[in-house]
Amino acid sequence: MTITPPALSVFETLESEVRSYCRGWPAVFDRAQGARLTDEDGHTYLDFFAGAGSLNYGHNNPVLKRALLDYLERDGITHGLDMATTAKRAFLETFQNVLLRPRDLPYKVMFPGPTGTNAVEAALKLARKVKGRESIVSFTNAFHGMSLGSLAVTGNAFKRAGAGIPLVHGTPMPFDNYLDGQVPDFLWFERLLEDQGSGLNKPAAVIVETIQGEGGINVASPEWLRALADLCHRRDMLLIVDDIQMGCGRTGAFFSFEEAGIQPDIVTLSKSISGYGLPMSLCLFNPELDVWEPGEHNGTFRGNNPAFVTATAALNTYWADGQMEKQTIARGEQVEHALKAIRAESPGTPPDIRGRGLVWGVEFEDKNRATAVCARAFELGLLLETSGPQSEVVKLLPPLTVTPDELDEGLRTLARAVRETA
Ligand SMILES: Cc1ncc(COP(=O)(O)O)c(C=O)c1O
């Protein structure tokens, strides 16, 4: 008897081996609403990954969907290069009124291209142009994107190796707590800057994430961020905060650096800025840094007008008052409480838990455990991803609009997955 193996799916036969998330979550997803996805067989999954932080307001958020449908229905501009459009005007005015003015942020807004790494590339190019220097300082375990400039300031050896050419003009420094508090913050960095024999080319800028999302949920303290801002100021280096994953309210405040009370020279935003999972990114900078020549940084997809529409609706709906920030902090306390309970009931070395707002990480002593926990969570109907250089951290990134009940359900599933993988 000949047994015919089941036909390989088109994903396996046609789509490149480079695909990754679909390997950890072997389902064919069909619909999604709020914090839940449904696959083609009708199974539902609670989403604690939120499109890697692109869906802070949940899947198909009804308010944003209405705005988008109305706009499409009336034949609003979809593709707009960087032409002036009514949708872009509404977005810029809302961005200024809802976010920049109340925070006294003087930034100009640049649309660098559709995705996060485009914003990082623009930030690096601008810093180099302004300062007339090539070198950029980044931090251990940083992640800034997959294009060559962004990879050069990214830590992960596996991702860097994919570049296929030398990644140059970036210098890594220890992130907060990298040396377990044994060395005073910035001792090494400052010493290299002042020592004529150190071999460090004077940097144009320093690029930092306030919480390293891909690098393992490493949280920089407000004191460390303030000391970094002060160092940049004293040493004539621009401070770039990459808020692509931690911005848009993920940590509580809209900008993740607000808690530290610092004002970066350049800020990158993407992921949840459109609010609907539509590609959009921004590079913000102090007006005196706006030395671009017209068209000097260009790109076909810098005017995703449907994204401007949903972004405007998201800002008006969620950021016109302080409710979203308060809610995220409250939900974060709920997560922290549950993770502490998981830690308390873990035999042996307790897992390390860390996070802020609605981004949390759980790191086990056994580096393989996080992958096992995420795999079991998937079987139990919860989407969770790992992060960290060895995928050793379970990462929690639910939509900010998750309800307390959904959060409780997901956290109970996580606790079960942890117990069952011990
Ligand atoms: C902090 C940070 N910067 C940049 C990027 C790159 O964004 P994109 O994948 O949209 O290019 C990411 C993506 O995860 C990120 O987390």
Side-chain angles (χ1 to χ4, degrees):
M1 191 178 72
T2 312
I3 298 175
T4 315
L8 286 174
S9 72
V10 69
F11 307 109
E12 288 155 305
T13 57
L14 190 60
E15 191 180 349
S16 161
E17 291 302 318
V18 80
R19 64 196 192 277
S20 68
Y21 295 114
C22 56
R23 298 176 191 268
W25 301 329
V28 180
F29 296 99
D30 184 42
R31 283 172 296 118
Q33 175 49 238
R36 284 184 207 274
L37 291 98
T38 307
D39 72 16
E40 63 179 353
D41 298 321
H43 302 123
T44 60
Y45 303 82
L46 194 52
D47 186 2
F48 272 22
F49 192 54
S54 308
L55 293 162
N56 281 4
Y57 315 110
H59 294 265
N60 292 311
N61 179 294
V63 181
L64 312 192
K65 184 165 71 178
R66 188 70 264 152
L68 180 61
L69 290 174
D70 288 348
Y71 183 75
L72 295 177
E73 196 62 47
R74 70 171 185 82
D75 286 338
I77 299 284
T78 289
H79 181 269
L81 296 166
D82 66 5
M83 295 182 300
T85 63
T86 51
K88 190 199 269 191
R89 179 170 57 207
F91 169 73
L92 284 169
E93 287 173 354
T94 307
F95 196 79
Q96 187 163 44
N97 293 335
V98 172
L99 293 179
L100 298 182
R101 251 191 218 128
R103 291 166 179 76
D104 255 335
L105 294 170
Y107 297 138
K108 297 279 294 275
V109 179
M110 171 182 179
F111 299 95
T115 183
T117 200
N118 298 132
V120 172
E121 294 288 349
L124 300 179
K125 278 165 78 169
L126 185 64
R128 287 176 167 132
K129 182 173 159 80
V130 167
K131 292 293 177 193
R133 302 176 209 139
E134 293 162 347
S135 167
I136 306 278
V137 161
S138 57
F139 290 98
T140 48
N141 287 311
F143 182 81
H144 296 292
M146 299 300 288
S147 52
L148 292 181
S150 306
L151 266 183
V153 289
T154 287
N156 189 295
F158 172 64
K159 307 275 191 220
R160 289 176 67 88
I165 57 164
L167 294 169
V168 292
H169 307 311
T171 306
M173 291 286 165
F175 191 69
D176 192 10
N177 227 17
Y178 186 68
L179 300 166
D180 294 328
Q182 290 169 39
V183 179
D185 294 340
F186 304 113
L187 179 75
W188 171 243
F189 190 177
E190 186 131 35
R191 188 68 208 278
L192 294 188
L193 284 169
E194 64 198 12
D195 181 359
Q196 292 304 305
S198 73
L200 178 73
N201 291 331
K202 185 164 184 190
V206 175
I207 184 165
V208 68
E209 298 152 273
T210 61
I211 299 179
Q212 295 182 322
E214 301 306 297
I217 317 300
N218 306 314
V219 184
S221 71
E223 296 76 31
W224 187 87
L225 289 168
R226 281 194 287 274
L228 176 62
D230 178 58
L231 179 65
C232 288
H233 184 69
R234 284 188 287 109
R235 296 285 173 178
D236 185 34
M237 303 175 294
L238 296 175
L239 177 61
I240 305 170
V241 168
D242 180 348
D243 233 5
I244 285 170
Q245 189 161 151
M246 295 305 147
C248 301
R250 176 53 58 187
T251 65
F254 185 87
F255 295 103
S256 71
F257 53 81
E258 288 180 55
E259 194 196 10
I262 60 170
Q263 190 176 308
D265 301 291
I266 305 179
V267 180
T268 55
L269 281 180
S270 186
K271 293 213 190 254
S272 274
I273 186 62
S274 85
Y276 204 72
L278 297 173
M280 175 172 171
S281 81
L282 302 177
C283 185
L284 314 175
F285 36 80
N286 282 329
E288 68 273 15
L289 303 181
D290 196 4
V291 297
W292 292 115
E293 297 292 333
E296 192 178 0
H297 184 95
N298 223 330
T300 308
F301 289 108
R302 290 171 303 131
N304 185 356
N305 280 251
F308 299 156
V309 170
T310 52
T312 305
L315 295 182
N316 281 326
T317 308
Y318 294 107
W319 295 101
D321 61 25
Q323 275 315 307
M324 195 62 187
E325 178 173 349
K326 285 197 193 111
Q327 180 179 304
T328 298
I329 290 166
R331 300 269 195 280
E333 284 164 4
Q334 189 183 342
V335 175
E336 185 174 10
H337 187 73
L339 295 184
K340 281 185 174 161
I342 290 176
R343 186 172 60 190
E345 71 171 35
S346 294
T349 309
D352 189 30
I353 60 173
R354 45 193 191 246
R356 186 149 69 87
L358 271 176
V359 49
W360 288 85
V362 185
E363 181 174 357
F364 299 92
E365 193 182 26
D366 172 2
K367 302 271 182 227
N368 298 320
R369 181 85 175 279
T371 302
V373 168
C374 293
R376 182 67 188 130
F378 174 77
E379 289 167 359
L380 297 170
L382 175 67
L383 302 187
L384 275 177
E385 246 296 355
T386 59
S387 87
Q390 294 168 268
S391 303
E392 72 279 25
V393 180
V394 175
K395 177 181 183 182
L396 284 79
L397 212 64
L400 306 184
T401 49
V402 69
T403 66
D405 284 350
E406 288 167 337
L407 209 46
D408 188 47
E409 179 190 329
L411 290 164
R412 275 188 283 114
T413 305
L414 170 64
R416 182 173 162 194
V418 170
R419 271 196 307 277
E420 292 181 0
T421 52

